[in-house]
Amino acid sequence: MIYEYNGSNLADGLYYFYASWNSRCNVLAERITKLNLEFSNLTIYKVNTTKYANMKKEYQITKMPSYLLIENQKVIGRKEGNLDYFTLKKWLSERI
């Protein structure tokens, strides 16, 4: 499932940090949809960094988009920037 992050406590899943004003992030959102189909057991949370700037700062998000894999409220993986679908798929496959 894909959810828009709402400020609650971090649950296990992939957190996709994006900026709504960034056209590259909007185009890359399609990759998130494909990942959701490929990894049906993975919950994906889209985090709007404009709305949750404090979370962006806390997790030191410096590039858009960025991806954090969270387990037990800890970051177990991080990827940043414009990554193609196959790179993201391989990265996730190695961690979940």
Side-chain angles (χ1 to χ4, degrees), residues 56-70:
K56 177 183 172 187
K57 184 177 179 179
E58 179 181 349
Y59 289 99
Q60 300 172 354
I61 303 299
T62 58
K63 293 184 180 180
M64 292 298 145
S66 287
Y67 309 86
L68 294 182
L69 194 56
I70 304 287

Side-chain angles (χ1 to χ4, degrees), residues 3-90:
Y3 297 100
E4 189 70 33
Y5 179 73
N6 64 6
S8 61
N9 289 336
L10 297 181
D12 292 354
L14 177 67
Y15 287 75
Y16 166 62
F17 289 80
Y18 73 97
S20 57
W21 50 264
N22 186 319
S23 61
R24 181 178 44 187
C25 290
N26 294 325
V27 170
L28 296 178
E30 181 181 314
R31 295 178 189 165
I32 295 300
T33 302
K34 281 181 77 174
L35 288 173
N36 183 55
L37 295 172
E38 186 78 28
F39 296 93
S40 58
N41 60 334
L42 178 67
T43 303
I44 300 172
Y45 299 92
K46 293 170 44 180
V47 181
N48 183 336
T49 57
T50 303
K51 188 173 181 180
Y52 294 102
N54 59 333
M55 193 171 174
K56 177 183 172 187
K57 184 177 179 179
E58 179 181 349
Y59 289 99
Q60 300 172 354
I61 303 299
T62 58
K63 293 184 180 180
M64 292 298 145
S66 287
Y67 309 86
L68 294 182
L69 194 56
I70 304 287
E71 187 176 288
N72 297 320
Q73 298 191 352
K74 292 185 172 62
V75 177
I76 62 167
R78 172 189 294 264
K79 282 287 190 187
E80 296 180 329
N82 183 6
L83 304 172
D84 64 77
Y85 170 76
F86 296 104
T87 300
L88 285 171
K89 180 180 172 182
K90 182 176 187 275

